[in-house]
Amino acid sequence: MRKKGILLCFMSFLLLGGCEKKENTPNPQEALQQEENQKPEVSLSENLWDFEFSIGEDVWKLPAELSKWEEKGWSIDEKQEETMLDGEAYIEGETLKNQEQEISVDFVNPEGEKKPLKQCYVGGILLKYEEKAPYYQLPSGITLGESTLVQVTDKFGTPTDEYEEKEDIYITYEYGKYKEAELVFHIEDEVLYQVRMKNYREPENEEEPISEEIPKEVKEYQAPEEYNGDFQEYVVKYDNSFYQIPAPVSQFVENGWKISKEGSDTYVKAGRHGYVTLEKNGQSLYAVVKNYGEATTNIQNTFVTNLSGDFDVTKVSIGVGDEIVLGMPAEEMKQRLEGSVYQKEEDEKGENYFIYSDESKKNFIRIFVDKDLQLVRELEVSNSPETLDEYEENEDEKTNPSDALLNEEKITEE
């Protein structure tokens, strides 16, 4: 089943479940037979975050243009050739074929305009150990069907997440938004048998001219000094510093955050979105950014368009609006919401309070109240206007939210 999505969504991805042990569990006879097929000698990076891998003798790096795969004999279904993929969108669960071999891949269009699938990139891949399959190798000499959990963590370090499910062990390495690798081992022998890698970022071009000048939008930004009762001003106190979202990455750097090279784009083209990973005191902030300038600029001169804080993952103090803060009792939060227009959505874990800027529901503040604790457990701020000038001009023209649906359908077949 295919999965569609927008690159700028903040919803988490659905992880693929483990495969049946009978089909994929390597045993000594199979390993010996594969060894007799001669393991290809390939040159790969030592770093998992470079997202290199090999299929037999062919070395790949994500993302890679579909045309490069076609040169090696891989192809997609003819019915999919004219599928159109919107700009900054992705589609998961497609199939690439090369004679008798099939692999599951994800396609991504990191650029701004809609394109046919044939002109997009392979941004994700699922590799499974099988007796008749070619050798699948990862950076640092890690090989499916051979390498153990201990060997993997020794090479790649402590994973971001690790858990057991049924007869499998899952570990995940995250390097920011839309950039992660999930490796799966069987509990019995702890041998790697499956890997899913995805890097939906726009590939960097060494010839791309990057302006060294600080954009005027960054120069003109002024950080607020206190809370603003108007939620739609998007003033947020984050880790004891005030920001008005969107806020320059450089402002976060001034306040002690550091840019993670592994999880961040180096530059962002004019008017386009990108991604940054900021680190401070052991905490990581994965954020979407936008370049509001007129020229390609480095990541430090882009604007963070979303922030979040919660009890579980991003354990950073955060406050919005009329000083509604993480950990506040639900009753007090509701009192401070009085007079504001919001939409409430309930689920089994609690209640979400959404304060939208307009009918598009694109820009919002979300307050989540834990059902059992009756405390504000999570706060999220997301504001990404088309232009900063437009945002300022429309401050007095906001409309009340309606029940208009989010534009989630970004894939069309023509």
Side-chain angles (χ1 to χ4, degrees), residues 197-215:
M197 305 172 72
K198 60 184 178 185
N199 181 11
Y200 295 173
R201 309 289 190 82
E202 184 169 8
E204 295 183 351
N205 182 354
E206 294 181 358
E207 299 179 357
E208 180 72 27
I210 303 174
S211 174
E212 298 296 329
E213 183 178 353
I214 299 176

Side-chain angles (χ1 to χ4, degrees), residues 55-215:
I55 300 177
E57 298 179 348
D58 296 329
V59 174
W60 301 96
K61 182 173 182 176
L62 299 177
E65 294 174 293
L66 176 58
S67 59
K68 300 296 184 183
W69 289 81
E70 291 176 328
E71 291 174 4
K72 294 291 186 177
W74 295 90
S75 62
I76 58 176
D77 191 293
E78 292 183 0
K79 296 180 180 179
Q80 287 293 94
E81 290 187 357
E82 301 305 317
T83 295
M84 301 297 292
L85 188 57
D86 276 11
E88 298 184 328
Y90 65 87
I91 180 171
E92 297 183 339
E94 293 297 309
T95 300
L96 279 182
K97 296 182 179 181
N98 189 343
Q99 297 181 2
E100 299 299 320
Q101 189 178 7
E102 294 186 4
I103 54 175
S104 177
V105 299
D106 309 330
F107 289 106
V108 60
N109 178 10
E111 301 181 10
E113 303 79 27
K114 180 185 292 187
K115 288 188 174 184
L117 208 60
K118 286 180 66 66
Q119 297 179 19
C120 295
Y121 292 81
V122 173
I125 188 164
L126 177 67
L127 302 176
K128 301 178 183 179
Y129 172 87
E130 294 177 347
E131 180 181 351
K132 296 181 181 181
Y135 270 94
Y136 296 133
Q137 298 185 66
L138 306 180
S140 290
I142 298 301
T143 304
L144 272 70
E146 294 182 8
S147 299
T148 65
L149 175 61
V150 172
Q151 291 172 328
V152 169
T153 54
D154 180 60
K155 293 291 186 179
F156 301 148
T158 303
T160 309
D161 186 32
E162 179 176 349
Y163 67 94
E164 296 181 5
E165 184 175 298
K166 296 182 179 179
E167 298 181 345
D168 294 322
I169 301 173
Y170 291 77
I171 66 172
T172 303
Y173 290 91
E174 296 180 353
Y175 303 103
K177 285 183 177 290
Y178 306 112
K179 194 174 182 181
E180 66 179 44
E182 178 192 72
L183 296 87
V184 188
F185 309 76
H186 278 299
I187 291 178
E188 183 179 350
D189 52 20
E190 296 190 348
V191 173
L192 175 66
Y193 80 90
Q194 176 176 299
V195 61
R196 183 183 185 192
M197 305 172 72
K198 60 184 178 185
N199 181 11
Y200 295 173
R201 309 289 190 82
E202 184 169 8
E204 295 183 351
N205 182 354
E206 294 181 358
E207 299 179 357
E208 180 72 27
I210 303 174
S211 174
E212 298 296 329
E213 183 178 353
I214 299 176

